[in-house]
Amino acid sequence: MFETWQSCAVERFDALKIDRERLLNSVDLVAGAIGQEWIDEQTERRERTGSTISDAHPLYRDLTSASDTSLVAVCELAEYLRSFLYDPALPEIIKDLRSEKYESTFFELAMAYRWQAADAEVRLQPSTPKGTADFEATIHGLGFVVEVSIFPADIFRDLRFRISSLITKIVGSTVNKEFPVAIHLQIRDVMPGDFEGAVRAEIREACLALIHNLRKGDNTVLSREAAFGTIQVEQITESTETIRPTRGHFSATSDPGARHWDVCFRAVSKRVPHGVPVYRAMDDEAEEEHVRVFVNFPRSEVDPYDRIVKKIKKEARQLRGIESARVVVLDVAGIAYDALDLHMDHLRDELVKLMKATPELACVWLMSRGWSTELRYQYRGVYIANAESVYQLPTSFLQSLMVREWRWDFLGSREIPVLTEEEALLERQRRSRQRGPD
């Protein structure tokens, strides 16, 4: 069932600096906890006609993928489940992991694990006057009830990811039978209703029209207006716009002044020699390009900082009626790639106002999860203490949290070496290319 994951684990355990048996046992532990019935349901869903990676449950994707991020995510989840094996709330936690609550439940476990590792006594999902909190932590005899929440950040379900696979499938069933094509899509309005269906229909018509034109000897570029925006389709030639990253955006290599794109994507096929795992095809430089996609979305008028404040207020309300100290932890990765990049002046003022009105609220923590040069997921955060509260997290506890996050690799059971940025990047490159034990 998990042959691809296990095969990749055997090749990558040494580069990832995770004990081989520990890594392999992780997939068995997680699969056993989740249950074969759920796994079979997900497999059946994947095999349905029209199903894409975007439709798969994120845990199922990690269990069946061959990537460092998937190996580490499954190993991480196994560690959390092992750590809370005897917590009475674990059956409900596992139920949530199978559901649409997966992202938020994973974050709940990640935070609870870290607090426990920093010497807090942790109990999952304690009862509260409003229902159930995420966990309760006792530190030096003082109890803190913690509510954690997220802005969903599953890239595979985001329209910005889905639209690339959607366009690729349409192109594959039409134009790619004859030639590779580039699609430029300028979206003015993400309309209500079946927006993706409308995009599919318009892209298909544009591709068929381009084929018709080329057969008549007409232009290799075709533009088409749709209700949601403008579509340009062209046969890929040497003059076709190519893809180059430029500080978080994308532009054309041929013209430094070209427009920036929200999404750039290339679909290529690679040769897979007999007996070689599919994921090893990435090592082969030879490829055949099928489609190049460029998409711009309408600019959002929603203030992300207002969204953060409203979310914090909502989570704080969940803790009303609790007599002990309260803490709110929010993963903002769905809004800000890195919590440390947030412009905190206005945001801090709004959160301070909220905390002044809630003296039981000890602090607010804004977090983001990112992939580090150590080939691990790490959390970065902005900690905002409530100066009006008699409840404060102990300094020793905060220091322990920080040290364990940045200096201790709990999956490899080792200290993280202190390297310069250049040294860390070079080491990541070396380990990323490494195959099998040295």
Side-chain angles (χ1 to χ4, degrees), residues 167-178:
I167 292 173
T168 300
K169 291 183 70 174
I170 295 302
V171 171
S173 65
T174 53
V175 183
N176 280 163
K177 296 175 181 177
E178 306 196 24

Side-chain angles (χ1 to χ4, degrees), residues 32-273:
I34 295 300
Q36 190 61 46
E37 182 179 353
W38 181 85
I39 292 170
D40 291 342
E41 289 174 358
Q42 296 301 311
T43 302
E44 182 181 351
R45 180 178 301 176
R46 184 190 64 179
E47 292 173 351
R48 291 175 190 163
T49 303
S51 177
T52 69
I53 189 173
S54 302
D55 301 312
H57 188 284
L59 177 54
Y60 185 82
R61 284 200 302 263
D62 280 335
L63 288 169
T64 55
S65 297
S67 67
D68 288 350
T69 53
S70 292
L71 296 178
V72 169
V74 171
C75 192
E76 194 177 328
L77 179 56
E79 181 66 17
Y80 300 156
L81 295 176
R82 191 180 294 113
S83 180
F84 294 106
L85 182 62
Y86 299 108
D87 192 294
L90 189 60
E92 191 64 27
I93 291 286
I94 290 173
K95 179 180 177 182
D96 290 342
L97 289 172
R98 299 188 190 108
S99 73
E100 293 296 316
K101 298 179 182 179
Y102 174 78
E103 280 188 89
S104 59
T105 304
F106 190 100
F107 183 50
E108 173 186 334
L109 287 171
M111 292 298 101
Y113 176 87
R114 283 160 172 76
W115 283 51
Q116 181 171 268
D119 295 329
E121 297 178 19
V122 173
R123 180 166 63 97
L124 299 177
Q125 297 192 347
S127 297
T128 70
K130 288 284 186 177
T132 303
D134 290 312
F135 65 90
E136 182 178 30
T138 303
I139 306 169
H140 300 170
L142 180 62
F144 293 83
V145 178
V146 185
E147 191 72 16
V148 306
S149 189
I150 66 166
F151 288 102
D154 182 359
I155 185 174
F156 294 103
R157 296 194 177 186
D158 190 287
L159 179 59
R160 292 167 187 258
F161 177 87
R162 291 180 60 87
I163 201 158
S164 296
S165 57
L166 179 155
I167 292 173
T168 300
K169 291 183 70 174
I170 295 302
V171 171
S173 65
T174 53
V175 183
N176 280 163
K177 296 175 181 177
E178 306 196 24
F179 50 80
V181 69
I183 306 284
H184 293 74
L185 181 57
Q186 190 75 39
I187 299 175
R188 293 188 296 268
D189 181 26
V190 180
M191 304 179 303
D194 187 9
F195 174 75
E196 293 187 14
V199 171
R200 277 194 295 268
E202 292 289 350
I203 295 290
R204 182 183 296 278
E205 289 301 316
C207 288
L208 293 175
L210 178 63
I211 292 173
H212 180 71
N213 282 3
L214 291 174
R215 286 174 177 170
K216 294 193 306 179
D218 290 347
N219 293 335
T220 60
V221 180
L222 180 143
S223 293
R224 179 184 181 92
E225 286 296 321
F228 53 78
T230 303
I231 302 167
Q232 178 181 296
V233 186
E234 65 176 292
Q235 182 180 13
I236 290 179
T237 64
E238 290 185 358
S239 63
T240 301
E241 183 173 15
T242 54
I243 298 171
R244 180 190 67 182
T246 56
R247 291 185 61 81
H249 297 282
F250 295 91
S251 64
T253 55
S254 57
D255 179 7
R259 79 175 76 178
H260 295 295
W261 296 98
D262 297 321
V263 173
C264 289
F265 178 84
R266 292 174 70 241
V268 301
S269 59
K270 291 177 175 281
R271 183 179 61 87
V272 182

Side-chain angles (χ1 to χ4, degrees), residues 414-428:
R414 66 187 183 97
E415 287 192 11
I416 297 173
V418 178
L419 303 174
T420 66
E421 182 178 359
E422 183 179 1
E423 289 170 338
L425 290 171
L426 288 172
E427 177 65 5
R428 180 180 66 179

